[in-house]
Every structure is written in C-alpha cells, then in structure tokens.
Amino acid sequence: MQSFPIKRILLAGVVGTLLFDLFGLMASTMMGNPTWWDIPALLAGKLGLPLFFGVLAHYLNGIVLAVIYAAVAPFLWGSKWARAFTYITAETVLGVWLFMAPLLGMGIAGVSGPMGAMFAIVSLVRHWVYAVALAAFIPVPAAAPQTNATASATA
C-alpha cells in the first residue's frame, strides 16, 4: 500500500489554487474586467460571510481536490501528467459544468451566465492550470507491468 506524502499533497492543493487564481486574474484582465479572487468572493457572498472565509473555503477546496487526486491517481491511466489532466477534466465537467454552474443559475457549463460560452473555456483552462501542480508535486507510482500470470488470473 502506498503512503501519502501529505506535505506534497497540501503543497499541490495550495500552489494549484494559487495558479488557478492567477490565471483567473490574467483571463479577467484580458477580458477588460480585472478580478482577483472571484471564486472566493462568490463563495463568501453565497455563504453571507466576509471575504476571508470565502478565501479559506476556496483554498480548502483546492486541498481537498488534491487529496482526492492522490487517492485516485494510482487507478488512472497514463503518465503523471495524463492522470492529473484526466482527473481535473472530469472534476471540471462533473463538478463545475454539471453541478456548480447550474446551481448558481448559470446553466450547464455556465453558458447562461455573464461570460456565456467563455465561462466553460475559462473554467476548464483554470482547472488545467491547477492540474499542473497536481502533476508536479504528487508522486504517482508507475503502473506495474502485467505478467503472464497476472494476465491469466484476470482473464
């Protein structure tokens, strides 16, 4: 059984979330509306709490996503990069496009929100930027080569 490098997982969650936020600032600046901590502000507003608690919730979410990734990554296919991008793409589609965006009244993939279809693109790319930290910091064991005995047992 693999032990979890908790410090690296925490670092991946925090660094990934910071990269997510920096890309969000860059994207919003390019669209003419520079916004820092847009997600924490949204969370704080929905929770009726000060911005500090939105930031805390946002970064804790980034850490939780890293913990979940560390647990499921050994079962995903491909290199550490393919695993991180597969995981975060699935998380974005299922968690953001099909759950959070509709819950916030923006429709599937956020296309009914103020950004229109750009929301889907920007949210996916922001999450891919987050995935870079997962791949960089969380070690994933290589898949063991399948032997004839293993192949016979699974057939």
Side-chain angles (χ1 to χ4, degrees):
M1 177 148 192
Q2 172 191 354
S3 65
F4 287 99
I6 195 65
K7 289 180 183 175
R8 292 180 69 93
I9 294 168
L10 294 173
L11 183 63
V14 170
V15 170
T17 306
L18 180 60
L19 293 173
F20 175 97
D21 287 337
L22 289 171
F23 184 84
L25 175 62
M26 183 183 77
S28 65
T29 300
M30 288 174 27
M31 289 188 248
N33 183 22
T35 308
W36 177 245
W37 280 344
D38 56 338
I39 303 300
L42 176 68
L43 288 170
K46 292 292 180 184
L47 296 171
L49 296 170
L51 180 62
F52 169 80
F53 292 102
V55 172
L56 183 62
H58 178 53
Y59 278 79
L60 285 175
N61 182 61
I63 291 169
V64 167
L65 288 174
V67 168
I68 295 169
Y69 171 71
V72 302
F75 304 102
L76 300 175
W77 58 271
S79 69
K80 67 180 187 173
W81 294 97
R83 294 176 194 208
F85 280 83
T86 298
Y87 165 76
I88 212 64
T89 300
E91 180 273 331
T92 302
V93 171
L94 298 172
V96 178
W97 291 2
L98 298 178
F99 181 71
M100 289 305 299
L103 188 66
L104 295 170
M106 299 189 310
I108 293 176
V111 297
S112 299
M115 290 176 63
M118 281 304 294
F119 176 86
I121 295 165
V122 171
S123 66
L124 183 58
V125 174
R126 284 179 85 169
H127 284 87
W128 282 345
V129 170
Y130 170 88
V132 169
L134 297 180
F137 291 112
I138 299 176
V140 177
Q146 194 172 25
T147 64
N148 285 339
T150 307
S152 298
T154 59

